[in-house]
Amino acid sequence: MEAKSIATSLCGDRVLIFPSSARSSFVSTSRLSRLPLKRASIGGAASCSGVNGLTRWNSIVPTRRLVPVRAIDSESDSDFPHENQQGNPGLGKFREYQEWDSWTAKFSGGANIPFLMLQLPQIILNSQNLLAGNNTALSAVPWLGMLTGLLGNLSLLSYFAKKREKEAAVVQTLGVVSTHIVLSQLTMAEAMPMQYFVATSAVVTIGLILNCLYYFGKLSKTVWQLWEDFITIGGLSVLPQIMWSTFVPLVPNSILPGTTAFGIAVAAIIMARTGKLSEKGVRFVGSLSGWTATLMFMWMPVSQMWTNFLNPDNIKGLSSITMLLSMMGNGLMIPRALFIRDLMWLTGSLWATLFYGYGNILCLYLVNCTSQSFFVAATIGLISWIGLALWRDAVAYGHNSPFRSLKELVFGP
């Protein structure tokens, strides 16, 4: 199918394209001359004298491109960050670009399956113990760790809702709901204090409603900004406390890291909202909620490996299937994060894939808790998947080297 557009010449090196669809943009004639396209002009050639021509373009003409998202810019002021990131895909064929765009979104949504399989066995086991009256068994589940994970999911849900990444937002929503179910079971078994559960339930309910309203454009910017400030303060307060608690009893048990971070977070929010920070500083504060949530999940493998180091026998209690599901769930989101040039998302997904999922599989193999064939299959699968993601991304963008995608991700186009 061909799309009709009217090309109006501008003096210089630009042509204004008015396509029949809503996607219009300025396209450089110097770039158009390098695209592998054929153009048939009807009427006359456009010139600086004001002569207009009717131009027909075939369906692979790209009009939008994803712009790399740097760490400082991962939370922009735009209500539609993902839309603003798209544009001309350079020399890549638009058909391949669209196909890989669609596939990466499907991969991201497919991460729901392994993540659900991770939580579902725990929910079923807790239900069986509750029905049998074995409430003591639920005390083995650390409710504080579950609560931290829930806060991370809720923060990332807001991040992806703002970027209009539907599939990734659904993954985080599933994480919030499934974790809340586990916490409710722990509360019924009196393994979690009721007052904490009530407060958590209120935050979860409000958070899900606000994210849903914002995603569909039914929420004011003022209310959304207040919610972002709340999760920023919460994330910055919890993260240092988790990192400190990991090394107890080597370090004294103290709440000083959390309270100090809380004071700094509140001060940063007040300065940002009262105009005491530069524009770059305001953007940095806006990106903190997403980064702190990512760092929470990135700290999980560090904590697990530290536990393995202190108590090597504990690693035998890990399930290789569970670690494989974790590796798969995070790995499925790598292509999408790379495709939309989201440095924060890619950092978190790649870290969890390599160090939490695959890292624990490696530890299990080294202590002879899993077979060599399982370890080799996981290794080959992981390397092949990351290689495929880099190669297909390069093809979609028309790059000669897959490493150029990584360069654009970090340093920009």
Side-chain angles (χ1 to χ4, degrees):
M1 177 182 291
E2 296 181 334
K4 297 182 179 180
S5 61
I6 300 177
T8 303
S9 175
L10 302 177
C11 293
D13 186 44
R14 295 188 298 174
V15 176
L16 183 59
I17 307 296
F18 297 93
S20 56
S21 66
R23 297 183 174 181
S24 60
S25 61
F26 284 103
V27 182
S28 170
T29 54
S30 61
R31 174 163 293 186
L32 287 175
S33 64
R34 298 195 305 268
L35 290 173
L37 311 172
K38 291 184 179 181
R39 183 179 67 177
S41 180
I42 303 175
S47 66
C48 291
S49 60
V51 181
N52 297 332
L54 182 62
T55 307
R56 295 175 63 87
W57 302 82
N58 66 30
S59 60
I60 68 171
V61 175
T63 60
R64 315 187 77 188
R65 181 175 185 178
L66 299 176
V67 177
V69 179
R70 302 187 185 186
I72 194 71
D73 298 327
S74 58
E75 290 279 355
S76 64
D77 294 331
S78 171
D79 290 337
F80 302 92
H82 178 60
E83 291 296 322
N84 291 339
Q85 290 167 15
Q86 298 186 14
N88 191 339
L91 301 177
K93 294 181 179 179
F94 195 39
R95 186 186 305 276
E96 294 172 340
Y97 178 89
Q98 285 182 313
E99 288 178 354
W100 189 236
D101 183 12
S102 175
W103 276 110
T104 55
K106 292 176 181 177
F107 291 147
S108 180
N112 281 296
I113 298 175
F115 283 140
L116 180 61
M117 294 174 67
L118 277 173
Q119 199 72 280
L120 194 59
Q122 185 66 59
I123 295 175
I124 295 175
L125 180 61
N126 291 345
S127 299
Q128 292 174 343
N129 286 323
L130 284 173
L131 292 175
N134 186 17
N135 293 349
T136 306
L138 276 75
S139 300
V141 182
W143 68 269
L144 189 58
M146 301 292 293
L147 182 61
T148 302
L150 186 146
L151 178 60
N153 286 128
L154 201 56
S155 297
L156 288 178
L157 169 59
S158 300
Y159 176 81
F160 289 121
K162 187 172 183 177
K163 292 180 70 68
R164 297 301 193 273
E165 281 292 329
K166 180 179 65 176
E167 293 80 8
V170 171
V171 171
Q172 302 305 323
T173 301
L174 179 63
V176 171
V177 173
S178 60
T179 304
H180 187 261
I181 292 175
V182 174
L183 291 178
S184 66
Q185 293 174 324
L186 296 180
T187 304
M188 287 187 286
E190 299 182 351
M192 178 180 180
M194 176 61 74
Q195 60 270 27
Y196 289 105
F197 176 74
V198 172
T200 300
S201 299
V203 171
V204 168
T205 303
I206 294 173
L208 291 177
I209 292 175
L210 292 181
N211 277 280
C212 181
L213 292 175
Y214 182 82
Y215 184 85
F216 292 104
K218 304 297 183 180
L219 190 69
S220 67
K221 288 185 177 181
T222 302
V223 176
W224 179 253
Q225 192 174 72
L226 290 173
W227 169 251
E228 286 189 313
D229 292 343
F230 172 77
I231 59 177
T232 298
I233 294 173
L236 281 177
S237 303
V238 170
L239 178 61
Q241 190 63 47
I242 294 174
M243 298 173 71
W244 181 270
S245 300
T246 300
F247 301 106
V248 173
L250 295 181
V251 295
N253 192 3
S254 172
I255 62 171
L256 182 61
T259 54
T260 302
F262 175 81
I264 295 175
V266 172
I269 292 296
I270 293 175
M271 292 176 66
R273 301 307 172 224
T274 56
K276 302 296 183 180
L277 297 178
S278 63
E279 182 180 350
K280 186 176 181 180
V282 173
R283 292 203 309 271
F284 175 76
V285 171
S287 69
L288 287 178
S289 61
W291 273 107
T292 50
T294 300
L295 290 172
M296 284 181 196
F297 290 109
M298 289 176 66
W299 190 253
M300 290 176 62
V302 176
S303 178
Q304 182 66 59
M305 290 181 181
W306 178 252
T307 302
N308 296 343
F309 175 75
L310 294 178
N311 303 290
D313 292 337
N314 287 354
I315 195 174
K316 297 179 181 180
L318 294 178
S319 168
S320 57
I321 300 299
T322 299
M323 294 300 106
L324 179 64
L325 289 172
S326 176
M327 186 181 77
M328 292 172 59
N330 288 286
L332 283 170
M333 293 191 286
I334 290 176
R336 186 63 183 176
L338 178 63
F339 181 73
I340 69 170
R341 300 299 191 262
D342 191 317
L343 180 61
M344 189 208 76
W345 189 7
L346 182 67
T347 301
S349 298
L350 195 60
W351 181 276
T353 301
L354 295 177
F355 293 100
Y356 187 69
Y358 182 75
N360 280 302
I361 291 176
L362 175 61
C363 291
L364 288 168
Y365 173 70
L366 293 177
V367 297
N368 297 320
C369 289
T370 189
S371 64
Q372 182 179 14
S373 58
F374 182 88
F375 172 73
V376 171
T379 303
I380 294 176
L382 177 61
I383 295 175
S384 301
W385 180 251
I386 294 177
L388 174 67
L390 289 171
W391 170 65
R392 287 293 286 121
D393 189 86
V395 171
Y397 278 91
H399 298 334
N400 295 325
S401 170
F403 296 104
R404 182 175 171 183
S405 297
L406 297 177
K407 181 181 178 181
E408 286 188 349
L409 180 73
V410 178
F411 301 106

